[in-house]
Amino acid sequence: MKLMGCRNLILLALAVSAMVGLRDHALEAQSGPPAPTVSVLRNSGLAQTVWPGDFNGDGITDLASTAPRQFGAGPSPVVIALGRGDGTFNAPRSIGYTGHVVSVADIDGDGKADLLVVDEPAPDVELRFVLGNGDGTFTNIRRVNSFDGVEFALVSDLDGDGIKDVIVGAPDDVIQIYPGRADGTYADMVPLAGGLFIHGGIVADFNGDGRKDLAIANHYGRSVTIFLNQGAFNFLATDVPVGMQANDVTARPISWWRCRTAATTTTTSPKAPPAS
């Protein structure tokens, strides 16, 4: 018997669940508990993408971002807001470095969260790790490279040597992979050709072979490129059209039968590409 595809299987399961539960919960829907309330807490001291992490080792989630930038002022500092454990945070404070955070990872394996920061302004930006001390402070830096700009950056061990590598989405639609070395430096960059206007990416195992693959959203290409890891930083690329402008991509495992990992894209309505 032919097995159903992941998409049909998911839709069928959702439809069956809805029909089975409809009759039993018809009366409950009329007299059920009131809808939950949502408390929105705003923090005006965090101006760009906000990254969670435990930066002082107390087991409570903290936040890292960039301070608001005043008109005409220079680059704003990277700030962290230490969590209190009740959904609130202390006032954001500068860590002593400017730029914006593009990832949080333990790059040096000391068990402390580090920040991957793009040091602005363009066109000559520096991508570097700011190493955490585990107490909410950051001192040393580890440089990755200089770029005309950085669309996104990812941190993962792509070759299975136990050392994290850095994946950078560059403005020229090239994905640049920097293989990590044990001494904190990087081997020669490995380039991968992306689609039109790469706009975001993730690392996930899409074919269940135990290797970390890449999925890259191509905004004007209206597609997602899947790079299947063949080992030793060799990748097999497949372009998956999505029909709309792809802004980002995420993935989650699906354990039903032969379904492995499903990728989901964030899209926008079509708009004209920039003038060449």
Side-chain angles (χ1 to χ4, degrees):
M1 182 178 67
K2 183 178 180 180
L3 293 177
M4 291 179 289
C6 292
R7 180 180 300 175
N8 293 336
L9 181 60
I10 294 171
L11 292 177
L12 177 60
L14 291 175
V16 171
S17 298
M19 288 186 291
V20 170
L22 183 60
R23 182 175 181 180
D24 293 340
H25 296 284
L27 293 179
E28 294 180 14
Q30 297 176 6
S31 59
T37 59
V38 177
S39 177
V40 178
L41 303 177
R42 301 186 185 278
N43 193 323
S44 59
L46 306 175
Q48 294 196 25
T49 303
V50 178
W51 290 85
D54 181 7
F55 303 121
N56 59 352
D58 62 356
I60 299 173
T61 300
D62 311 310
L63 303 177
S65 186
T66 303
R69 182 175 180 177
Q70 302 298 324
F71 181 77
S76 295
V78 174
V79 294
I80 63 169
L82 298 179
R84 296 170 177 163
D86 60 357
T88 65
F89 298 85
N90 291 334
R93 57 179 177 80
S94 171
I95 67 169
Y97 297 91
T98 60
H100 66 274
V101 183
V102 291
S103 187
V104 174
D106 178 12
I107 191 60
D108 54 359
D110 63 354
K112 302 167 185 176
D114 309 310
L115 303 178
L116 183 54
V117 175
V118 176
D119 188 10
E120 300 171 322
D124 297 320
V125 301
E126 287 279 327
L127 181 64
R128 58 193 183 185
F129 285 95
V130 183
L131 304 183
N133 298 317
D135 59 359
T137 64
F138 299 79
T139 50
N140 297 322
I141 62 172
R142 178 183 292 186
R143 181 179 180 272
V144 178
N145 207 351
S146 297
F147 302 87
D148 292 336
V150 174
E151 297 294 337
F152 62 87
L154 310 169
V155 182
S156 184
D157 180 9
L158 295 179
D159 60 345
D161 64 353
I163 302 172
K164 290 184 175 66
D165 313 303
V166 181
I167 306 101
V168 181
D172 56 358
D173 293 333
V174 173
I175 298 96
Q176 301 183 10
I177 301 176
Y178 292 84
R181 295 186 176 126
D183 63 356
T185 62
Y186 296 93
D188 292 340
M189 183 267 290
V190 178
L192 298 176
L196 183 58
F197 193 14
I198 57 177
H199 209 267
I202 57 167
V203 177
D205 180 5
F206 290 106
N207 57 357
D209 64 355
R211 296 185 179 126
K212 302 292 184 62
D213 309 310
L214 303 174
I216 308 299
N218 307 309
H219 182 77
Y220 289 118
R222 301 184 181 183
S223 66
V224 171
T225 304
I226 306 296
F227 292 93
L228 295 180
N229 193 340
Q230 307 299 296
F233 297 106
N234 294 305
F235 293 83
L236 180 64
T238 302
D239 207 47
V240 181
V242 297
M244 301 184 75
Q245 294 165 339
N247 289 332
D248 211 339
V249 59
T250 188
R252 61 178 301 173
I254 298 176
S255 58
W256 294 348
W257 292 307
R258 293 184 177 179
C259 305
R260 292 196 182 276
T261 303
T264 304
T265 58
T266 302
T267 61
T268 58
S269 301
K271 59 183 178 181
S276 58

